[in-house]
Amino acid sequence: MCEANAYIVENGKEKLLMETVDKLVPDGDVLMLENVFGERTFIKARIKELALVEHKIILEERM
């Protein structure tokens, strides 16, 4: 499987945002994340790190 869990950095710590993400689509400063079940979330954030071996997407929220 190639899914990853998405985390948002809050106060220097990673907080789980969404599990089993298989699609991430940038649209300006908003990211759309979709998991294997078709559930979507939209967040105003930027990608801080992709740790693919660890199956992690690390995001930083934009203001």
Side-chain angles (χ1 to χ4, degrees):
M1 298 294 235
C2 297
E3 300 87 22
N5 291 335
Y7 298 85
I8 190 79
V9 176
E10 291 182 353
N11 300 319
K13 300 198 187 253
E14 297 173 6
K15 178 182 172 188
L16 182 63
L17 178 65
M18 178 179 263
E19 294 182 305
T20 62
V21 174
D22 72 344
K23 185 185 279 189
L24 186 150
V25 180
D27 185 12
D29 59 354
V30 174
L31 300 173
M32 185 278 293
L33 290 84
E34 184 175 78
N35 68 13
V36 295
F37 305 108
E39 299 168 333
R40 291 183 176 179
T41 191
F42 296 84
I43 186 166
K44 191 172 181 179
R46 72 173 193 90
I47 299 169
K48 179 180 179 186
E49 179 182 350
L50 294 174
L52 300 177
V53 172
E54 298 174 35
H55 303 278
K56 290 175 80 172
I57 301 166
I58 311 297
L59 306 174
E60 283 185 329
E61 200 161 13
R62 292 183 186 233
M63 299 297 161

